[in-house]
Amino acid sequence: MPRKARRAQLLESALEVFVAQGYHSAAMDDIAERAGVSKPVLYQHFPGKLELYVALLDASCDTVIASCREALASTDDNKQRVAAAMSAFYDYVGSDSGAFRLVFESDLTNEPGIRERVDRVTTECASMITEVIHEDTGLPDRAANLLAVSLVGMAQVSARFWVNDPGEISKADATALVSALAWRGIAGYPKHD
């Protein structure tokens, strides 16, 4: 198998293992077995479990951030922006891969390098939203940033709650409910001239 394809296969297998077992319980043996390769093949691509986890975590963080960026750029209508950004989080968390567990539920966040990567999602998504709020409302950057962080928190926490216990609420309905709540709050800060 070509090196790039093998690496992708190993990452996919590792994601399944890390999502199912968490970092601490996952073993390189489990990942190699899931991928159908020997441990030496796994170690040819990744020097250790942490490096493998970090590769997955970085890719997962990049995915969330890119989705948020795309949602914000999709329209100039702020009500639709709120809905698009909320949908980006619900789509990510609701994905069958379960990759969100690496970003939002990691059992390794006590490690500074991991915590920094995980925090990057909130920081970068909130930074993009801060710009929109500041430009539209004229609020000082710190106030706009606090509102933006609150919106990001609302999105990821509610999406995680929904995915773990959706009950009778579809993803579309959950997204619409939380988007409406967020919009009713943020719309209270009127645009300035």
Side-chain angles (χ1 to χ4, degrees), residues 6-134:
R6 175 68 75 197
R7 182 178 168 86
Q9 175 202 20
L10 295 172
L11 286 168
E12 183 178 323
S13 296
L15 177 62
E16 292 172 10
V17 172
F18 285 132
V19 165
Q21 299 178 20
Y23 176 81
H24 293 295
S25 295
M28 291 297 268
D29 286 329
D30 299 332
I31 295 166
E33 183 179 320
R34 178 77 53 104
V37 301
S38 65
K39 270 179 56 175
V41 169
L42 183 56
Y43 282 112
Q44 287 174 355
H45 293 269
F46 299 96
K49 184 168 81 166
L50 182 60
E51 290 81 7
L52 182 53
Y53 187 84
V54 166
L56 285 167
L57 180 59
D58 284 343
S60 295
C61 291
D62 290 345
T63 297
V64 179
I65 292 165
S67 295
C68 186
R69 182 177 290 111
E70 186 178 306
L72 293 173
S74 68
T75 181
D76 289 332
D77 179 291
N78 285 334
K79 184 175 183 180
Q80 291 177 11
R81 272 186 179 145
V82 168
M86 210 56 72
S87 184
F89 277 90
Y90 273 78
D91 288 345
Y92 176 73
V93 170
S95 166
D96 290 338
S97 75
F100 80 93
R101 296 197 188 283
L102 274 66
V103 178
F104 299 128
E105 297 177 0
S106 175
D107 61 346
L108 197 58
T109 54
N110 59 334
E111 294 292 326
I114 301 300
R115 177 84 257 154
E116 185 178 302
R117 284 173 162 85
V118 169
D119 288 346
R120 182 172 69 93
V121 172
T122 300
T123 302
E124 290 192 27
C125 290
S127 178
M128 290 182 269
I129 296 168
T130 297
E131 284 182 38
V132 174
I133 293 171
H134 175 73

